[in-house]
Amino acid sequence: MRLRRCLAVAAAIAVTTPVALFTAAPALAATPSAAQTQNQQKKPDQPTYAELEKTAADAKKAYEDAVAAEEKGEKELEATLDTLDSDTHPLRAATITADKAAKDAADARTAAEQTVTDAEAKLEAAGNAADRAEAQKALEAAEAGLTEAVKAKQEADTAAEKAQTALDDARVAAVREYSVLQNTLDKARKAKEAADEALATAKECVRENGLTSLAVGLPSKVVAGTTVDFTLRLTNGTERTLSVDPLVFVHVDGEGPGEKSRLKVEWSNGSGWQALNGNEPEHIGPVGTMKPGGHSDVKLRMKADSVARSTEVIALFAADASSAYRPCVQGPMKRYDFALLPAGSEPGEVDDAKPGEPDTDDDKRPGTAAPATGKDSSAQGGASEQAAKAQATGTGGETEAEAEADGNLARTGSSSAMAPIALASAAAVALGAGTVFAIRRRRRAADNA
């Protein structure tokens, strides 16, 4: 029943839509002023990551509220339409009474027309003056009765049309009220999608070639059993303040994953020494906030167990960071190759190891499944350990509630009967209650034909 009603309301509105209303629409678009154009060309200040998080959270809450309001509105619309269709509703009862009165008036007019026809026949058949006079009098009385019947029918039709108008207006008003909730839901969904996209974009790791790392004092040869001290110098050559987190990995050639390394590497946090795990690249701890042009030094040391023969060692260093705008900023990785010699070896003159470009398989951060592609890319690779930490603290990843909300993004009424309601609401908003007047008149004329 509700499906039929909604289709009827939508069809009535659509059929009577003035063509000029749509053809004139482009003319309603105002030409933007010079000031508006200038404002559109201005780039707004870049929001911080915290602001993007808040915007996404607010948009998610607004969307969830809009979903709840639309669901409630759908139920209220169904209840309203059901009530308006009930014979006990005053508006519906008024249309029933008015329709009956209009039908009775139509029957009375038909009877009056027949009376006039019969009187005309009698007048034509009258054979003498007396009969004609009597027949003429009867005809005049019949015509007077027909005039009254026509007037009564017109009044009854007007009353019936007025009653029907009131009922239809109530239906359209209910649909229009629901359409406002649909529009609000649609806007909330788009706002949530835009906020989520902006947050996801800010969450992507980006490369900053000006964020550099340099191993100072790392020798090209290391003799087993000796301790080597060197410094990792981190420089912020970018134009923004960063919180830097050094990435370090030292690997002895031939050692497999999980195997205890013969080379122990430690770094100083200022109050003690912390050992690297030696199995994969790792961030050794933030060195604090660095302003543009600033630098910071991290002390490291390494000591090798005895080795039977010379072997090669690679050391990878990078200055990864985060900023107020992005949780994952990656500096270019540098690779140092040096030799590990057996204990007691005489290395001779030893130069510092020279920095070079890492191999493709080397240039990846903790937690990434594949290496980054190209050293000059602006956004590449997987999330760094910093991004993983951010996700663990609530700045990344998708919660169960978010996943449930995302699953409802396309929802504007899941029941099959809501499609005609959506159609009706769109038509109601575009045209308003007054546009159904012509279709009512057309329907009334068809009923009276």
Side-chain angles (χ1 to χ4, degrees):
M1 176 64 72
R2 180 171 58 83
L3 175 62
R4 176 185 61 76
R5 289 199 308 271
C6 296
L7 283 174
V9 174
I13 297 173
V15 168
T16 58
T17 302
V19 175
L21 181 63
F22 295 102
T23 57
L28 300 178
T31 302
S33 64
Q36 289 175 326
T37 303
Q38 183 178 4
N39 290 336
Q40 291 173 354
Q41 291 174 348
K42 289 181 179 179
K43 292 184 178 179
D45 294 336
Q46 181 182 6
T48 65
Y49 190 77
E51 290 172 338
L52 291 175
E53 284 187 306
K54 185 178 185 306
T55 299
D58 291 345
K60 177 176 178 289
K61 177 65 167 56
Y63 171 74
E64 291 172 345
D65 291 344
V67 168
E70 190 272 344
E71 291 175 347
K72 180 181 178 182
E74 177 185 336
K75 294 178 181 178
E76 291 177 350
L77 174 60
E78 293 177 1
T80 299
L81 294 177
D82 287 340
T83 301
L84 289 172
D85 263 359
S86 172
D87 291 348
T88 59
H89 191 280
L91 293 177
R92 174 62 177 163
T95 62
I96 294 174
T97 300
D99 286 343
K100 184 178 185 306
K103 184 179 183 304
D104 291 344
D107 292 341
R109 186 189 68 176
T110 300
E113 289 173 346
Q114 185 61 48
T115 300
V116 170
T117 301
D118 293 343
E120 289 173 340
K122 287 182 178 181
L123 177 60
E124 185 178 352
N128 54 56
D131 290 343
R132 282 195 301 272
E134 184 179 355
Q136 180 63 40
K137 186 178 180 180
L139 176 59
E140 290 173 357
E143 288 175 342
L146 176 59
T147 299
E148 291 297 326
V150 169
K151 181 180 178 182
K153 183 180 184 306
Q154 290 174 342
E155 292 175 350
D157 287 345
T158 299
E161 185 170 349
K162 184 178 180 180
Q164 187 64 48
T165 296
L167 180 59
D168 288 345
D169 285 350
R171 288 170 174 164
V172 171
V175 172
R176 180 185 290 141
E177 184 176 350
Y178 173 68
S179 73
V180 172
L181 299 176
Q182 286 184 309
N183 290 339
T184 300
L185 176 58
D186 185 57
K187 291 178 181 178
R189 180 180 64 251
K190 291 178 179 178
K192 181 182 184 302
E193 290 172 345
D196 289 344
E197 182 179 359
L199 183 62
T201 298
K203 195 181 298 183
E204 293 175 353
C205 294
V206 296
R207 286 296 178 95
E208 283 285 5
N209 291 330
L211 183 60
T212 60
S213 59
L214 179 67
V216 180
L218 177 65
S220 59
K221 298 177 184 179
V222 176
V223 178
T226 64
T227 299
V228 174
D229 293 283
F230 65 101
T231 299
L232 180 62
R233 168 154 290 190
L234 309 167
T235 302
N236 181 10
T238 71
E239 297 180 352
R240 52 182 171 158
T241 299
L242 298 171
S243 178
V244 181
D245 193 1
L247 180 75
V248 178
F249 181 49
V250 181
H251 178 68
V252 179
D253 185 38
E255 292 182 350
E259 182 180 347
K260 182 178 179 180
S261 178
R262 288 165 286 177
L263 192 61
K264 182 180 181 181
V265 183
E266 298 175 313
W267 63 281
S268 174
N269 61 7
S271 59
W273 291 92
Q274 307 291 324
L276 299 180
N277 61 35
N279 294 324
E280 60 181 1
E282 60 183 290
H283 292 103
I284 61 177
V287 299
T289 301
M290 291 175 59
K291 295 183 178 180
H295 70 270
S296 182
D297 293 334
V298 179
K299 295 181 179 180
L300 294 101
R301 69 184 183 187
M302 59 185 177
K303 181 177 181 181
D305 295 338
S306 60
V307 293
R309 58 184 179 81
S310 299
T311 186
E312 296 296 322
V313 181
I314 65 169
L316 301 174
F317 303 103
D320 289 346
S322 62
S323 72
Y325 305 96
R326 287 183 176 273
C328 180
V329 180
Q330 299 177 348
M333 186 177 288
K334 293 297 180 181
R335 171 173 171 160
Y336 292 80
D337 292 274
F338 60 93
L340 179 59
L341 307 179
S345 298
E346 295 292 335
E349 185 177 353
V350 179
D351 298 326
D352 285 350
K354 304 299 181 183
E357 298 297 327
D359 293 339
T360 301
D361 291 339
D362 297 333
D363 193 4
K364 58 184 177 181
R365 265 55 175 184
T368 60
T373 56
K375 61 183 179 182
D376 296 325
S377 300
S378 61
Q380 50 188 316
S384 69
E385 186 178 35
Q386 294 163 306
K389 291 177 182 177
Q391 293 175 352
T393 57
T395 61
E398 186 178 60
T399 65
E400 182 178 351
E402 289 172 330
E404 182 178 356
D406 290 341
N408 290 329
L409 277 181
R411 186 193 179 282
T412 56
S414 57
S415 64
S416 60
M418 287 312 298
I421 290 181
L423 174 62
S425 63
V429 169
L431 306 176
T435 58
V436 298
F437 178 72
I439 193 65
R440 293 188 192 114
R441 295 190 60 185
R442 181 181 304 171
R443 182 174 64 246
R444 182 66 57 197
D447 290 343
N448 295 333

